[in-house]
Amino acid sequence: MNWLDRSRSLAPEGFNRWLIPPAALAVHLCIGQAYATSVYKSALIGHFEVSQTAIGVIFSIAIVMLGLSAAFMGTWVERSGPRKSMFVAASFWGAGFLVGAAGIFTGQLWLLYLGYGVIGGIGLGIGYISPVSTLMKWFPDRPGMATGMAIMGFGGGALIASPMSTALLKAFDGFDPVSDGADWIASGASVGKLFLTLGLVYFVVMMYGVANIRVPAPGWKPRGWDASKTKSSAMVTRGHVSAANAIKTRSFWLVWTALFLNVTAGIGILEQASPMIQDFFRGADGNSAVNAAVAAGFVGMLSIGNMAGRFIWSSTSDVIGRKRIYMVYLGIGALFYVVLAFFGGSSMLLFVAMAVVIISFYGGSFATAPAYLKDLFGTFQVGAIHGRLLTAWSAAGIAGPLIVNGLLDLQGKPGTMSAHNYLPVLLTMVVLLVIGFIATTLIKPVDPKFHEPGEELAPATTKGA
């Protein structure tokens, strides 16, 4: 297994850095399947005969494990390099699906918690941070764009997983559009077969990324780029802060709060996407104007918004600054949630447009975060700091589904609700985003007392394109 060592993945002189994003995307597009869980959520509720909250907990466990594994394994990922860490991520992610499938086939919900939630969640966390730090090292001239390239894959994973999962579920179930109708819900057995298929396919695809990832040679920098000529900003440090010291600063916890609240609000739509659009356009006769296929298409559109936002907004942050872009995410996001709450049910076009933009802000906050940390704390241990920041995602993974599913459980059962039942949920999200906006305005440059002694941004040598 020596080929997994960091020393074996060192890029040769003249290596083209644009070969790295596809390797990173191979991992992030696979683990981004986590955003397509709503496609089979109703099927699992029926199969296990439990509440929305009981199934929503699966997603929550996965996100908790993502944050914890990223926080605790961040230093190991930096030390071991992207190839070894991406291999470990592929192994855990694939195994999580297989164990989860066993839980579905045997009717043991706890195995689904263990498989997809715990084991798969560890794969999520390690896979999420593995290529991010490497991409920032390959693109020091455009850190926002670099992190956007990697993390947009995670947001776009559902764009592939949602229609693919729907097609496979129909194939496994022997779906007949005449006899099964628009209100068809997949069987538990078909979801189990889906998990087996995804576990194997995703492992193979992620191994492509493992084989092709490279790290730049020490001292490498893009040809023609001079760090000393980079436009200066009060929010961009020229020192370096260790991971241990970063969590002692006020700025870290304000960024953590802003990310936590924005993610909690975003999960309010993502985790409930498929049933939500069906409920919003349910008629007085109890039938929805949106069938399962259209709902799956909506999940795919959210994935496009999530993916596009990660690249577009994080790249925009290279121009207008990280703090300003976070104020956009939270301030405009709160306004759009108000529109969705009171007017979303009047027009499907308005509903979809508002939801897609909100999710683009959700994705953008993730993609901008590593570059924001680089600005505040330098590059010394930015990967490990990023891992610690992702505990905000873990907390949101618990808070978001609990808030959404808890409030909806009080409103009614899946298939019986309509737009007005979502009003308490959406207005709660507005309050969270306003608090996050206030936290963002309070973020200041890090006090130099937290800087590592003698660690200053130093010029590097040019060795490639």
Side-chain angles (χ1 to χ4, degrees), residues 1 82 153 278 326 355 435 462:
M1 302 294 283
Q278 294 180 75
Y326 259 79
I435 296 172
T462 302

Side-chain angles (χ1 to χ4, degrees), residues 246-247 249-256 373 377 385 388-389:
I247 61 175
T249 66
R250 183 184 182 211
S251 292
F252 175 87
W253 291 108
L254 287 171
V255 174
W256 190 99
L373 296 177
F377 305 107
I385 298 171
R388 286 159 173 76
L389 180 70

Side-chain angles (χ1 to χ4, degrees), residues 37-50 55 104 112 169 173 184-192 194 274-275 414:
T37 56
S38 65
V39 170
Y40 47 77
K41 181 178 181 181
S42 295
L44 291 177
I45 290 173
H47 178 67
F48 288 103
E49 297 182 345
V50 293
I55 296 302
I104 295 171
L112 190 52
L169 287 172
D173 248 1
W184 164 82
I185 296 178
S187 67
S190 65
V191 179
L194 174 68
S274 182

Side-chain angles (χ1 to χ4, degrees), residues 41 44 54 59 80-81 117 138 142 150 197-198 213 216 246 298 303 331 340 380 402:
K41 181 178 181 181
L44 291 177
F59 180 80
S80 301
W138 278 112
R142 285 172 281 183
T197 304
L198 294 180
I213 196 70
F298 173 62
S303 182
L340 191 63
F380 176 46
L402 282 179

Side-chain angles (χ1 to χ4, degrees), residues 148 152 307-317 325 329:
M152 75 173 180
M307 179 175 62
R310 290 168 188 248
F311 182 74
I312 294 171
W313 300 126
S314 61
S315 297
T316 302
S317 76
I325 202 69
Y329 299 152

Side-chain angles (χ1 to χ4, degrees), residues 228-268:
S228 64
K229 295 181 180 179
T230 302
K231 182 180 178 181
S232 61
S233 168
M235 292 297 294
V236 180
T237 183
R238 293 195 65 83
H240 292 283
V241 182
S242 68
N245 280 334
I247 61 175
K248 298 176 184 177
T249 66
R250 183 184 182 211
S251 292
F252 175 87
W253 291 108
L254 287 171
V255 174
W256 190 99
T257 299
L259 183 64
F260 164 71
L261 295 172
N262 195 49
V263 172
T264 300
I267 287 177

Side-chain angles (χ1 to χ4, degrees), residues 9-33:
S9 60
L10 196 66
E13 186 173 348
F15 183 82
N16 188 340
R17 62 177 175 167
W18 291 99
L19 296 175
I20 299 301
L25 284 171
V27 172
H28 273 241
L29 282 171
C30 290
I31 62 177
Q33 184 277 342

